[in-house]
Amino acid sequence: MSTADTPQTWDEFMEGVWRQNPVFVMVLGMCPTLAVTVSAINAISMGLATLFVLVCSCGLVSLMRRFTPKEVRIAVYIVIIATFVTAVDYAIQAISLALYEALGAFIQLIVVNCIILGRAEAHAAKNAPMPAMINAAGMGVGFTIGLLALGVVREILGAGTLFGVALFGAGFQPWVIMVLPPGGFFVLGAWLLLFSWWARRRPLKEAAQNV
Amino acid sequence: MNEPSSTEKKLIPISVVALDIALPESPTGAMIRTLGLVSAICGLIIVGAYQGTYDAVAANKRIAAERAVFRVLPKAKTIAEFFAQPGGGIAKVGAGDTAIPPGAVKFFAAYDDAGKLAGIAAEGVGKGYADNVRIMFGYQPDCQCVVGIGVVAMRETPGIGDKIITDKDFLANFTALDLRLKADLSMLANEVKAVKHGSKTAAWQIDAIAGATITSRAVGKAINDSAQALLPRLLPHLEKLKTS
Amino acid sequence: MSAPIEIRSAPHVQSAKTVETIMRHVVYSLLPICAFYVFQYGVSALASIVVVTGACLLTERFFVGTGTQAGRLPDYSAVITGLLLALTLPPGFPLWMGAVAGIVAIALGKALFGGIGFNVFNPALVGRAFVQAAFPTAIATYTPSFLPGRFAEFIPSTHAVPLMIPADAALWLKAKSLDALAGATPLAKWKFDGVLANADELLTSLSGHMAVGPSPLLILLCGAYLASRRFMDWRIPLAVLGSAALTAWLLYAFDATRYPNPFFMLFSGGLILGAVYMATDMATSPVTPKGMWVYGALIGLLTVVIRYYSGLPEGVMYAILIANAASPLIEKITQPVPFGRGVLDRVKKRATYPLNPGYISREEANAVTPKKRFLPNKPKK
């Protein structure tokens, strides 16, 4: 790849991480976002699993894009995605059973995560493998950041720990609500509020400077 | 041209129809080709992943089972997995070609350093406040009682229901919870039951946690159901398990 | 030259009763209840009331400052929220948790919906529901009332370090050799131990050291004052208490050994406080008279059902929150029929009534509806 391409590639990558962040901007994939972000470890594992599936399946979809008839494209995407999800499923079982139990059905449910199918249909099916995978990686990283943002807050308040390390000592009073489903909604809402406030603030400031 | 001749009228539609058929190539062949290729690639990937992780997954599962058993039977050093057949009798899991028949109850026999039976561990399920509470309990054949419990999986309210793994008074119930059978070994002599906090009177009762009665009851029911199903089949064959 | 004519949309007749007046009188009527509550539990209750109300006011000030809110700070509504919230929490509730409750009550219960008048749920109850789910142990820890030395000493759980587990109130009672006194609320005692409290103790709690909330009799008196000054609609409390009493009485008649008497149901827990002060919140209850009856009856029924059949001893909070959610629907189905229209012919759905252009004033025709924005001062290009 030439050096002239680099900024564009970087842009492509940052598209998913920031401007089109799947959690904060597109609000996609809410099912795992709300369900598994009880702790930072869970969140980051889920994010990485999704990232892997996203990059691999987008790469394969993009490779096959020339000879995939449009009548069967969704079937092809789903088979490809399901394959990599199965591989991830085995891999997580091999790494840690405790993690596997904590993530539960949500590993298998990556198959129906609309971020992945959306990327395959909207981007990978129309682009060469390299840009497709970079775009997918950006989305995956963005998703991981989103999950981590929720997981960190919920773990700190809900258990007083971060990545399993106690932050406040023995006497910490856990906020039980944070590890229950309502806590997921509250924290997600708070992040969305913060994110949209920040995203709107910047153009306003720029406009103010121009005046 | 206001009035086209009759021949022209007929000719135009025919040629259009012929064009229509000829233009799009039928995608059936392409579809089969693509799907076949995708299935082949995906099959390869899945088989590869399965083979690559098989040993690690099996080892993990064994370690998890051992850890759960060792927690409820502290003296245990090694374990072996068995199942009690529906008609009575026991068999080792994975020994020979014996498939586990439906209705069989799985359990673990645990042995100490010297290879002597340290106790038996079995799983039980009871309906809790939020979801099923799955517990593992350690059974001591000498005293015919439960000597320890551990939770395999639960989704009880943190801070209330999950006291069943932290509350010392509650866990004290399971140092010698009576599981004696009737003289004819057909069923438990006394049903294991969780009773209201502070009203425990007999060795087969569980003193529930105040405020977490439903979860406590689930533990009682889990032990009771599992013991009712397992012990009458197991006890007549206890000799088989005595040494590893 | 004619004088400029001011053109305004309805309402054209204004009453002297402003939101502020009403709210101020509600605050006045709450003061005796708070005073008695402090008399019951001493300095801890006072600290709790001050901190919770302070948290509510500060949060309100912050959100009013962003310019996204209807209402102003001096309309007293945040004070009411704070006082009511403090009265529903146990007296020894850790102050930092009380502050969390206050912040959540205003931020989540009111500010996110757009301020006073726009909230769907009673803010005080939103705050309480949050801390109930977050700190289930602390919110169930009551201490006996009328303890000796309550004005000189805090309940130890009150001054817990923020984010830390509060000190065990039971140990403290034991150290003072007061552990024979009841630490559980009458409802919890009935639910978990099957012990019924006496009627006179429930009403005033003057004789014993029972762990009860603010006195029900006093609340009824203050409520009567509000209702007589027409600051509050008398229908809602009456409907709540009536339907709760009826449901409890039916069940009591059905099986007197299993269910407690209706009197106990009415005067234990927070039913009276909820019926008089929380169910009547103007923004979250229906405005039609028929709707008020339905709404109140729903709260009473749900309260008794939750108390009997759920895992929780108290159900007033959830009953009111559920009824709050139902109140737009209740309002819709209890719309009064316009005069001259039969009961049977309903207003057509989506009917449009053409407006004579002559009725539209010039100002209104050019008027631009201001858009609600999150940020106040959008610079113009």
Side-chain angles (χ1 to χ4, degrees):
Chain A
M1 213 174 291
S2 66
T3 43
D5 279 354
T6 318
Q8 183 141 32
T9 318
W10 180 245
D11 256 23
E12 188 88 317
F13 181 76
M14 287 310 284
E15 184 79 11
V17 176
W18 198 247
R19 280 185 299 279
Q20 296 275 323
N21 186 297
V23 174
F24 295 134
V25 179
M26 298 201 287
V27 199
L28 285 179
M30 286 298 105
C31 177
T33 305
L34 292 168
V36 303
T37 52
V38 176
S39 72
I41 291 280
N42 284 6
I44 212 164
S45 324
M46 188 69 199
L48 291 180
T50 312
L51 172 68
F52 171 80
V53 174
L54 201 48
V55 171
C56 293
S57 46
C58 280
L60 195 53
V61 164
S62 169
L63 272 179
M64 310 236 356
R65 72 187 187 285
R66 296 229 185 278
F67 38 98
T68 306
K70 69 176 195 307
E71 287 85 352
V72 291
R73 67 184 197 286
I74 298 292
V76 169
Y77 301 160
I78 290 288
V79 169
I80 290 173
I81 295 166
T83 304
F84 288 109
V85 170
T86 314
V88 162
D89 190 280
Y90 286 132
I92 292 179
Q93 281 190 57
I95 294 164
S96 160
L97 267 188
L99 182 62
Y100 185 74
E101 299 250 312
L103 296 182
F106 293 97
I107 303 171
Q108 288 93 323
L109 284 175
I110 297 176
V111 177
V112 289
N113 191 326
C114 38
I115 300 170
I116 302 174
L117 196 60
R119 275 303 96 190
E121 167 83 6
H123 196 275
K126 294 168 192 156
N127 290 286
M130 208 52 210
M133 281 166 80
I134 287 166
N135 180 282
M139 282 287 161
V141 170
F143 188 61
T144 313
I145 290 173
L147 291 194
L148 192 62
L150 260 80
V152 165
V153 174
R154 289 180 74 184
E155 189 179 343
I156 290 178
L157 289 180
T161 59
L162 188 58
F163 293 104
V165 181
L167 293 181
F168 302 99
F172 180 75
Q173 164 75 51
W175 298 34
V176 176
I177 195 170
M178 285 300 161
V179 295
L180 297 175
F185 282 100
F186 288 143
V187 177
L188 177 66
W191 275 116
L192 286 178
L193 188 70
L194 209 65
F195 201 90
S196 68
W197 171 74
W198 194 85
R200 252 190 236 193
R201 208 172 102 110
R202 211 173 39 167
L204 289 191
K205 259 192 177 171
E206 278 164 14
Q209 276 166 3
N210 291 343
V211 167
Chain B
M1 200 155 46
N2 282 339
E3 285 286 318
S5 66
S6 59
T7 47
E8 269 175 328
K9 248 186 187 172
K10 271 174 198 164
L11 267 175
I12 294 164
I14 287 169
S15 67
V16 167
V17 167
L19 260 175
D20 264 352
I21 294 168
L23 263 180
E25 182 203 355
S26 157
T28 315
M31 285 200 270
I32 293 173
R33 252 198 330 271
T34 311
L35 286 177
L37 183 65
V38 167
S39 315
I41 296 172
C42 292
L44 269 177
I45 294 172
I46 290 179
V47 170
Y50 182 73
Q51 286 293 340
T53 57
Y54 184 82
D55 292 335
V57 172
N60 265 342
K61 282 192 174 151
R62 192 176 47 78
I63 291 168
E66 273 179 359
R67 231 180 249 155
V69 173
F70 294 167
R71 204 185 304 137
V72 297
L73 294 167
K75 274 191 213 151
K77 285 286 174 290
T78 55
I79 58 165
E81 197 175 359
F82 288 87
F83 61 88
Q85 276 150 349
I90 53 174
K92 198 163 184 171
V93 170
D97 293 330
T98 43
I100 300 170
V105 183
K106 280 210 270 183
F107 64 93
F108 297 95
Y111 302 95
D112 60 10
D113 284 332
K116 271 175 60 191
L117 187 66
I120 284 160
E123 265 191 33
V125 180
K127 179 98 190 64
Y129 189 74
D131 199 354
N132 283 339
V133 178
R134 274 173 59 207
I135 59 147
M136 171 85 85
F137 64 93
Y139 170 79
Q140 195 62 257
D142 304 335
C143 67
Q144 297 209 7
C145 59
V146 172
V147 291
I149 62 161
V151 172
V152 179
M154 67 167 172
R155 297 171 59 88
E156 301 300 283
T157 321
I160 301 177
D162 71 355
K163 275 194 203 154
I164 57 169
I165 43 176
T166 54
D167 193 305
K168 285 196 185 70
D169 293 343
F170 183 71
L171 291 176
N173 283 308
F174 307 101
T175 47
L177 184 73
D178 187 12
L179 279 188
R180 266 174 304 173
L181 295 187
K182 278 188 177 162
D184 60 350
L185 299 183
S186 64
M187 58 189 287
L188 291 184
N190 303 291
E191 222 172 74
V192 175
K193 222 178 182 177
V195 293
K196 217 168 228 173
H197 183 65
S199 63
K200 171 172 172 157
T201 53
W204 55 83
Q205 286 175 338
I206 299 171
D207 193 8
I209 301 171
T213 322
I214 297 175
T215 315
S216 310
R217 240 185 256 148
V219 174
K221 190 161 165 32
I223 295 178
N224 183 58
D225 291 359
S226 174
Q228 290 280 29
L230 175 67
L231 294 183
R233 299 180 204 167
L234 167 69
L235 279 196
H237 307 279
L238 198 60
E239 284 307 314
K240 267 205 221 168
L241 296 172
K242 282 280 168 161
T243 49
S244 52
Chain C
M1 290 287 275
S2 60
I5 300 167
E6 196 182 0
I7 302 173
R8 275 193 194 170
S9 57
H12 303 292
V13 183
Q14 284 189 346
S15 148
K17 233 189 256 173
T18 61
V19 172
E20 195 191 318
T21 330
I22 298 175
M23 296 293 173
R24 208 176 55 233
H25 277 88
V26 175
V27 173
Y28 291 160
S29 78
L30 273 170
L31 288 178
I33 302 173
C34 291
F36 189 76
Y37 190 60
V38 172
F39 175 55
Q40 271 178 309
Y41 290 103
V43 65
S44 277
L46 183 65
S48 173
I49 291 174
V50 169
V51 168
V52 173
T53 313
C56 286
L57 281 171
L58 284 179
T59 317
E60 175 92 346
R61 188 188 176 83
F62 170 77
F63 279 101
V64 168
T66 62
T68 58
Q69 304 286 299
R72 299 167 304 130
L73 197 56
D75 65 14
Y76 287 96
S77 64
V79 180
I80 297 179
T81 303
L83 291 180
L84 282 177
L85 182 55
L87 288 177
T88 62
L89 296 172
F93 200 60
L95 294 178
W96 72 268
M97 294 183 191
V100 169
I103 292 167
V104 170
I106 296 292
L108 196 65
K110 204 162 103 181
L112 284 190
F113 293 100
I116 183 171
F118 293 101
N119 48 323
V120 180
F121 299 104
N122 187 313
L125 288 178
V126 171
R128 200 198 128 92
F130 185 89
V131 286
Q132 163 115 53
F135 314 114
T137 346
I139 207 161
T141 312
Y142 268 82
T143 43
S145 53
F146 299 111
L147 287 177
R150 60 186 183 279
F151 292 110
E153 190 188 0
F154 281 103
I155 300 168
S157 52
T158 298
H159 44 67
V161 183
L163 296 180
M164 293 294 155
I165 296 176
D168 194 349
L171 286 179
W172 172 70
L173 286 176
K174 207 174 254 177
K176 299 186 79 178
S177 61
L178 289 165
D179 52 329
L181 303 177
T185 60
L187 271 174
K189 264 176 151 180
W190 157 73
K191 182 107 186 176
F192 299 123
D193 305 330
V195 181
L196 273 184
N198 285 335
D200 55 331
E201 289 192 14
L202 275 180
L203 282 182
T204 59
S205 82
L206 277 173
S207 53
H209 293 280
M210 214 161 28
V212 288
S215 159
L217 273 188
L218 198 57
I219 298 171
L220 282 181
L221 268 176
C222 296
Y225 160 74
L226 280 183
S228 69
R229 296 285 308 270
R230 299 287 168 88
F231 290 129
M232 177 188 89
D233 204 289
W234 53 272
R235 292 180 187 88
I236 294 176
L238 201 66
V240 174
L241 297 177
S243 106
L246 187 69
T247 320
W249 178 74
L250 281 177
L251 286 167
Y252 182 65
F254 177 68
D255 186 352
T257 53
R258 218 179 124 200
Y259 301 106
N261 59 54
F263 188 82
F264 175 78
M265 269 295 117
L266 277 189
F267 288 97
S268 60
L271 184 59
I272 304 273
L273 184 69
V276 174
Y277 280 102
M278 297 184 177
T280 50
D281 179 5
M282 291 178 184
T284 58
S285 59
V287 292
T288 57
K290 239 190 284 172
M292 287 180 186
W293 289 109
V294 177
Y295 166 85
L298 182 67
I299 293 176
L301 177 75
L302 282 174
T303 302
V304 176
V305 167
I306 293 174
R307 280 184 180 177
Y308 284 153
Y309 301 108
S310 84
L312 295 167
E314 179 59 300
V316 179
M317 174 179 76
Y318 291 117
I320 296 179
L321 287 175
I322 293 170
N324 283 164
S327 79
L329 179 69
I330 295 172
E331 220 165 56
K332 198 173 171 189
I333 54 180
T334 55
Q335 281 298 323
V337 181
F339 181 70
R341 201 180 265 278
V343 181
L344 288 177
D345 47 37
R346 292 268 166 128
V347 185
K348 273 186 205 135
K349 265 185 192 166
R350 288 162 196 256
T352 52
Y353 301 96
L355 190 63
N356 186 335
Y359 293 151
I360 304 173
S361 76
R362 219 148 237 266
E363 276 166 54
E364 266 177 63
N366 295 332
V368 181
T369 321
K371 269 185 196 149
K372 255 173 88 179
R373 286 193 316 268
F374 186 69
L375 281 168
N377 306 314
K378 190 176 180 176
K380 286 193 181 89
K381 281 180 188 170

